[in-house]
């Protein structure tokens, strides 16, 4: 069944809303009454047509009193007519779109110009000095004439005749304007013009697309396309319904699925002229939704041969046409999990899931955390006890630990000796450090610990620290000696006890180191490898005590001796002193054996921090950080030249030596100028009786 006439509908639509058609840059005229004589008519230029608002705009010099500002303006059609009778539209040589555009661009530049000035009469078509500067003058017909002339067209050959003849004269010099309509009005979606083979839509949300051109005025500058649709229901087509006006695309929601629709588009140019497309057909096919979910992990990226079906779980795809065949592909690994299987597919192959959409469908991809086995073996020996972190991977070689979660990190630790054999190395580890083997479980793994035959003889070294030539006795006999000494070719497994004297050369015994066991002055070793032991002598080293100034003391002199008492065992002392707490390496001052450290020229009213470390041949005992605060800066009376807080004869002697010296004297010193009044005769500062008066006043104060 054929559609109802879209062409009739569109023609009725436009003829009912737009009464006058004219091309862009056509000259249009209206008059006051008949007959037309003189300047009782008005002229303007068609600017453009707003299809969305169904409004035409005109650029014209609107008039008013002579010289009225802002006469050249843009107005809608009603503002141009002002209720008067429309005379007609005119042009010359039927200009192309390019020429028409030049005419309008020139008219836009003249916006803001004044109405013409009668005196001098030449100011009736004088342009703005710059675009829209507002300093030009135009009569309505003068504006039309000027804009055409700038585009290379001269409507009136005689401007004097135009000046006196006015718009009516110009109207008669023009030709009747020829109208054009948009061309090649088509739709690119849907694109089928056969209702038997309509374009198929799989979704209810679609976008209609159109295209057209106009060779004279171009398409309407706003919403040049009007989209319509009709629906085939109950064996016939519905009336056309307008969807809306827009640019070259229009979103549309299909009201009913599995239904045939017809669409057409009307293109409107900048003159308000319209042209319709043919009818285009679209059918919405039966559609379904499928859901893709995951188990064991989340956010699995799913690929597909159709990019519309890809996504990250969990997601769904709607409006899928019935009968569509879908193949989804999951990754083999996702985060720390591994692909297991698909569920809900028609068929599967590896990580692929394939199904045909005949109804709403759910498919699930399953992932599991893989489990691996760890085998721990030994070479060169058997039955080696292996410790591990975590502890559940420990055992006695050879053994296997099963069901270890992927990504688990394990450290295996082997003993240094086993069955009279020595540890050699690990194999099969990611990294190894001494007797440790580190493994990350990313697959089934095997680690092997290797042992070699142990040597039959070892060496024993005995040394002393803090003393020399120490006599060491042994059990069994034969392993003693005077330090430092070595014993070689000792049979493996031999147990030796070494005993040191309580004192040597006046130095007391401190301790043993490097032994398997220690009991008092006795060191015991089992010769399973080369051994090195050390006996230490010396006084027990303690940090200094009893600081002077006392810790936290205040009002301390800026010249001071820092003193302390040896806490015991120190041969020398490292002194740290400064204003930064606690004093560090940058505050180190000296290493000395004295119990006193002088400081001077300290800053007034400042806290100082100091530390004394005790040092001997056995090491260092770090001292306590002590602190004290210096005295406030003293205030001296005028005349106390030697700053002993007493103004007396000693200060008087200094004042005498500078008596009557002026400021240009070689030995002049501001220090003795106690009174700041200049000599009235010379205008200079001088040490005289005025300074003596100040001195005497303070003498009395300090001796009261």
């Amino acid at each position: 069944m054929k559609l109802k006439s879209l062409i009739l509908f569109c023609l009725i639509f436009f003829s009912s809303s737009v009464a006058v058609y004219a091309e862009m840059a056509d000259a249009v005229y209206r008059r006051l009454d008949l007959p037309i004589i003189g300047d009782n008519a008005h002229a303007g230029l068609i600017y453009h047509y707003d299809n969305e608002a169904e409004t035409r705009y005109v650029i014209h010099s609107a008039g008013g009193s002579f010289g009225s500002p802002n006469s050249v303006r843009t107005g809608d059609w009603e503002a141009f007519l002002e209720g008067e009778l429309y005379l007609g539209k005119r042009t010359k040589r039927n200009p192309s779109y390019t020429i028409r555009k030049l005419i309008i661009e020139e008219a836009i530049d003249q916006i803001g110009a004044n109405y013409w000035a009668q005196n001098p009469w030449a100011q009736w078509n004088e342009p703005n000095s710059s675009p829209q500067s507002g300093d030009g003058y135009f009569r309505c017909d003068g504006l039309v004439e000027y804009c055409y002339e700038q585009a290379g067209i001269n409507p009136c050959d005689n401007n004097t005749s135009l000046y006196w003849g006015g718009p009516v004269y110009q109207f008669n010099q023009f030709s009747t304007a020829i109208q054009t309509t948009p061309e090649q009005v088509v739709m690119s979606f849907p694109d089928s013009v056969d209702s038997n083979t309509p374009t198929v839509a799989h979704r209810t949300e679609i976008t209609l697309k159109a295209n057209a051109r106009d060779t004279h005025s171009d398409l309407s500058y706003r919403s040049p396309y009007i989209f319509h649709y009709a629906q085939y229901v109950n064996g016939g087509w519905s009336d056309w319904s307008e969807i809306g006006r827009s640019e070259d695309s229009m979103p549309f929601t299909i009201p009913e699925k599995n239904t045939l629709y017809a669409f057409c588009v009307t293109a409107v140019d900048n003159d308000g002229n319209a042209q319709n497309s043919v009818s285009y057909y679209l059918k919405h096919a039966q559609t379904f939704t499928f859901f893709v979910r995951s188990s064991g992990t989340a956010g699995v990226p799913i690929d597909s041969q159709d990019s519309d079906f890809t996504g990250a779980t969990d997601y769904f795809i709607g409006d899928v046409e019935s009968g569509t065949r879908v193949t989804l592909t999951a990754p083999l690994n996702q985060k720390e999990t591994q692909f297991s299987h698909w569920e809900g597919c028609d068929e599967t192959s590896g990580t692929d899931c394939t199904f045909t959409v005949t109804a709403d469908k759910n498919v699930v991809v399953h992932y599991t955390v893989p489990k691996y086995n760890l085998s721990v073996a030994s070479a060169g020996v058997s039955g080696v006890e292996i410790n591990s972190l975590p502890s559940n991977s420990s055992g006695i070689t050879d053994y296997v630990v099963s069901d270890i979660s992927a990504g688990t990190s394990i450290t295996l630790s082997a003993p240094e000796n086993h069955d009279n054999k020595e540890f050699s190395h690990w194999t099969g580890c990611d990294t190894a450090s001494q007797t440790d083997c580190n493994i990350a479980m990313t697959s089934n793994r095997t680690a092997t610990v290797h042992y070699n035959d142990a040597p039959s003889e070892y060496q024993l070294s005995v040394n002393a620290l803090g003393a020399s030539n120490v006599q060491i006795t042994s059990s069994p006999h034969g392993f003693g000696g005077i330090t430092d000494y070595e014993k070689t070719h000792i049979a493996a497994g031999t147990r030796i006890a070494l005993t040191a004297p309580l004192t040597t050369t006046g130095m007391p015994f401190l301790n043993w180191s490097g032994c398997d066991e220690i009991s008092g002055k006795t060191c015991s070793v089992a010769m399973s490898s080369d051994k090195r032991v050390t006996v230490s002598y010396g006084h027990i080293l303690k940090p200094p005590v009893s600081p002077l100034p006392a810790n936290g003391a205040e009002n301390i002199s800026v010249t001071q001796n820092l003193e302390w008492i040896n806490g015991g065992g120190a041969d020398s002392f490292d002194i740290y002193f400064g204003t930064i707490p606690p004093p560090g390496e940058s505050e180190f001052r000296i290493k000395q054996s004295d119990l006193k450290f002088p400081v001077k020229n300290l800053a007034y009213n400042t806290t100082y921090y100091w530390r004394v470390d005790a040092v001997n041949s056995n090491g260092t005992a770090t001292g306590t950080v002590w602190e004290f605060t210096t005295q406030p800066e003293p205030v001296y009376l005028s005349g106390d030249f030697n700053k002993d807080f007493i103004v007396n004869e000693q200060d008087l002697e200094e004042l005498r030596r500078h008596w009557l010296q002026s400021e240009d004297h070689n030995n002049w010193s501001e220090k003795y100028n106690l009174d700041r009044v200049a000599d009235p005769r010379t205008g200079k500062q001088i040490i005289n009786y005025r300074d003596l008066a100040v001195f005497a006043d303070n003498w009395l104060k300090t001796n009261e």
Side-chain angles (χ1 to χ4, degrees), residues 73-107:
R73 67 188 70 167
T74 299
D76 60 25
W77 184 248
E78 287 71 20
F80 171 73
L81 288 179
E82 290 186 330
E84 301 294 343
L85 184 64
Y86 173 59
L87 178 61
K89 56 184 180 292
R90 310 288 280 177
T91 188
K92 199 162 189 175
R93 300 206 305 247
N94 191 23
S96 66
Y97 170 72
T98 301
I99 298 299
R100 291 175 182 272
K101 188 175 181 182
L102 289 175
I103 294 170
I104 290 302
E105 288 175 350
E106 190 60 48

Side-chain angles (χ1 to χ4, degrees), residues 54-55 79 118 133 464 491 575:
E54 297 186 34
T55 302
Q118 191 174 24
S133 61
I575 313 299

Side-chain angles (χ1 to χ4, degrees), residues 27-33 36-45 58-64 71-73 76-82 84-88 115 138-144 166-168 170-171:
V28 288
Y29 298 84
R30 54 97 167 161
R31 59 184 180 178
L32 298 175
D33 52 26
I36 302 174
I37 59 173
D39 60 353
N40 64 344
H42 183 52
L45 292 168
V58 179
I59 299 177
H60 61 124
S61 183
S71 176
V72 178
R73 67 188 70 167
D76 60 25
W77 184 248
E78 287 71 20
F80 171 73
L81 288 179
E82 290 186 330
E84 301 294 343
L85 184 64
Y86 173 59
L87 178 61
Y115 192 49
F138 281 105
R139 200 169 69 186
C140 62
D141 52 346
L143 176 66
V144 173
V168 174
Q170 187 181 63
F171 179 88

Side-chain angles (χ1 to χ4, degrees), residues 106-125:
E106 190 60 48
I108 292 172
D109 286 348
Q110 305 313 318
I111 289 176
N114 307 293
Y115 192 49
W116 73 304
Q118 191 174 24
N119 188 17
W121 73 272
Q123 287 185 313
W124 69 288
N125 64 348

Side-chain angles (χ1 to χ4, degrees), residues 213-225:
R213 69 170 190 167
D214 186 275
T215 58
H216 275 66
S217 299
D218 205 358
L219 299 180
S220 172
Y221 79 99
R222 197 156 74 109
S223 302
Y225 295 97

